Amino acid sequence: MNEIIQKALHVKNAARELAVATTSDKNSALKAIAKALDRRRDEILEENEADVEKAKERGLRESLIDRLKLTNKRIDGMINACHEIARLKDPVGEVIDSWIQNELRIAQVRVPLGAIGMVYESRPNVTLDATILALKAGNSVLLRGGSDAIRSNLAIAKAIKEGLKKSSLPETSVEIIEDTDRKNVQEMLHLNDYLSLIIPRGGAGLIKFVVENSSVPVLETGVGNCHIFVDKSADIEKSIEIIDNAKTQRPGTCNAVETILIHEKIAAKILPAMAERLRAKGVELRGCEKTAKFIEVKPASEEDWSTEYLDLILAVKVVKSLDEAIEHIQQYSTGHSEAILTESYSNARKFTASIDAAALYVNASTRFTDGEQFGFGGEIGISTQKLHARGPVGLRELTTFKYIVLGNYKVRD
Amino acid sequence: MNEIIQKALHVKNAARELAVATTSDKNSALKAIAKALDRRRDEILEENEADVEKAKERGLRESLIDRLKLTNKRIDGMINACHEIARLKDPVGEVIDSWIQNELRIAQVRVPLGAIGMVYESRPNVTLDATILALKAGNSVLLRGGSDAIRSNLAIAKAIKEGLKKSSLPETSVEIIEDTDRKNVQEMLHLNDYLSLIIPRGGAGLIKFVVENSSVPVLETGVGNCHIFVDKSADIEKSIEIIDNAKTQRPGTCNAVETILIHEKIAAKILPAMAERLRAKGVELRGCEKTAKFIEVKPASEEDWSTEYLDLILAVKVVKSLDEAIEHIQQYSTGHSEAILTESYSNARKFTASIDAAALYVNASTRFTDGEQFGFGGEIGISTQKLHARGPVGLRELTTFKYIVLGNYKVRD
């Protein structure tokens, strides 16, 4: 039995115990994990330092090294996260719906999903974040992080398991795959007898690979080519405020805006002021031919309309109508977050009804598509698929349900 | 552009129109389809007769020919189904949840899934049943039925499209693939840019093929290796009634019971009477060694514990305790429907909490796991997976949701 199968069997068996664990057992385990992280702080930082050194030698991009790097402050954040998740309401056991039919009491009751496989890239904090959300929802996890962060991941996992050992939950509720060979990902994607779900976290390449190759059901997260359409009736000052926020507040996130569509009747009024504001913050603008009539921009190519820059770059297109804006978004949207800025009730209604995405905004920044901002208290990612979970994936989205049917020795006619 | 891509594009585009169709538009279309089925009744029966002839020549099993065969009565059933689905409440537009967060009104609103791919085998009624449920929930469908029923399927699809043509919904809301080459299934399973979901309907082989090969998300339906555990405190008479019902009322269905587990303390009392009752109905019993001490049975092999007979055969095992029963079920269950017959509150509680299946019954027949019986008014199958839908898949399970977020030019801090 190889490492993966052995650990998959561990988490599968642990899932059965977790499914009947009480809320207080789960919360105590989260607090024990927080303590173990604190105790093992120095070791985690040392191992992370080794990962960072190696990444620098390998010439990894600065932004990736920043994602990889742990500090005392980041570890404090991880410890706080354990306490915060412990404070959240346990989703397990909730009666979603219940009714009488055929003299039977039918109840749809929320239960854990089972064993969840996480496949992720260079952020070591995913090791903790994914684990604590999964555990609180009563699930076990099989972790497979990237080679860049392997020493950090192993050190964090060691602390998690030390915490679990001091709790009443099985230590095998969390397992991490030590061998980072790529073929292991391939094997994980076919563990249908062990895992209920695979969640990929990382770049578009990883997510595509997992979606295309997994026979285990996948929760697709992440890619956000988000748009804001500024209708002719929008408030100009406030619209610029929102565009600035959606582009520059944290450009590397999936809910940042990538293309602005401007109604031609408002273009002359908004574009110069918008360009000035954004350029002052270092944003590069790429525009269509019509945009170039109002402001100086690099010409936008076909590729720009479908690119998730994750950077201080913004594509701008001037459109004739709401319909043209909707058509553009339907063509290029990744189904993440789309916004309209307008004073027209009918246009707001049409926009939100016509566009097929996880979150549709009227007069708000796309940056709100986030578990914390939605009030879920945490998230494991943003789902851009339609099955099971859409938008922020919090505790509730990490559960399923079963029907419990109570009868009085009832047979079917 | 080949047939599949062309038709996939049709249903993808139709899905956008269906997403904003009104309830009355959809209901009118269902009634128009009912009328067209009635008008085309003779043609459908003729084409079906040709399929049946060919199947007989090819030596298809009698039970499969029975599934294939259409009669005037079955077409009446199809017509009635259209009217029944038209009467059901439209799931689209339901506000599942709504709250204020960050001064934003966030609403989780039910919307259609989009375009659904159906891959099915020899039952031509699936062509209609799947279509009308999908349409009512605002989805388009790409149908790919088996070669045995192809002429029947095409005739039914022709009637459906004729009905759609007389309605305000796009005729391309439903497309059927005419070329029944197996490679077409393979191609359908990778239409991620067109289809939101694939639902396989048919034998275990087809379902396994789809689950293992599809990169489009799959709703796994069907295989039911269902158990009934008779606890020592159960009412004997009533237990036999339930076992009889669960085995013989319709043995070919996925919610029929396949293995009975009997507490050893009640075995002597229940087994002889149960065996007599079932044998009178032609049920073959296969038992463990302990069972053979009480009644005459064919010895059950390891294979019997994992077989979904779909036939008048029943495996019987005598167990020492509730724990042994739970362990057996956890090992062999396909996660469909599992029942306990007991007078013990604690045992009922433990059984329903410990076992991971779509439906858990206390003192009722497993035969109730069914969309009609649950009060859903129809179903497209029984989901045995945990993601998105579990148990009967009705209208609600054929939808997803989106978040509609209304703000007052709100930016994120």
Side-chain angles (χ1 to χ4, degrees), chain A residues 113 245 352 355 386 412, chain B residues 113 245 352 355 386 402 412:
Chain A
L113 274 169
N245 182 261
T352 54
I355 292 175
K386 296 194 203 171
R412 181 163 166 187
Chain B
L113 273 169
N245 182 261
T352 54
I355 293 175
K386 295 194 204 172
K402 59 184 176 190
R412 182 164 166 186

Side-chain angles (χ1 to χ4, degrees), chain B residues 61-130:
Chain B
R61 267 192 295 143
E62 197 54 51
S63 63
L64 289 179
I65 289 179
D66 179 60
R67 289 183 169 202
L68 179 57
K69 194 160 175 53
L70 294 177
T71 58
N72 260 313
K73 204 180 149 198
R74 285 195 176 172
I75 291 182
D76 287 341
M78 289 161 72
I79 292 169
N80 282 338
C82 294
H83 293 293
E84 272 168 33
I85 301 299
R87 274 192 295 270
L88 294 178
K89 191 177 177 311
D90 189 340
V92 173
E94 180 197 347
V95 175
I96 302 167
D97 202 352
S98 182
W99 65 97
I100 303 265
Q101 184 84 16
N102 283 313
E103 298 161 39
L104 299 168
R105 158 65 63 193
I106 303 176
Q108 187 183 22
V109 180
R110 200 176 287 290
V111 297
L113 273 169
I116 298 175
M118 289 291 310
V119 179
Y120 53 108
E121 288 180 329
S122 57
R123 288 185 175 193
N125 61 307
V126 174
T127 306
L128 183 86
D129 293 347

Side-chain angles (χ1 to χ4, degrees), chain B residues 206-232:
Chain B
L206 173 76
I207 291 168
K208 190 161 183 276
F209 180 81
V210 170
V211 168
E212 283 177 4
N213 289 283
S214 184
S215 53
V216 179
V218 174
L219 202 56
E220 189 175 350
T221 61
V223 181
N225 184 25
C226 306
H227 301 77
I228 295 176
F229 168 57
V230 187
D231 199 5
K232 62 183 174 190

Side-chain angles (χ1 to χ4, degrees), chain A residues 102 113 245 249 343 352 355 358 360 362-363 367 386 388 390 400-403 405 409 412-413, chain B residues 102 113 245 249 343 352 355 358 360 363 367 373 386 388 390 400-403 405 407 409 412-413:
Chain A
N102 284 312
L113 274 169
N245 182 261
Q249 199 237 2
E343 287 302 317
T352 54
I355 292 175
L360 281 310
V362 179
N363 297 350
R367 289 277 296 123
K386 296 194 203 171
H388 187 74
R390 206 175 191 194
T400 179
F401 58 82
K402 58 184 176 191
Y403 291 104
V405 184
Y409 295 97
R412 181 163 166 187
D413 297 329
Chain B
N102 283 313
L113 273 169
N245 182 261
Q249 199 237 3
E343 288 302 317
T352 54
I355 293 175
L360 282 310
N363 297 351
R367 288 277 296 121
Q373 297 297 319
K386 295 194 204 172
H388 187 75
R390 207 176 192 195
T400 179
F401 58 82
K402 59 184 176 190
Y403 290 104
V405 184
Y409 294 97
R412 182 164 166 186
D413 296 329

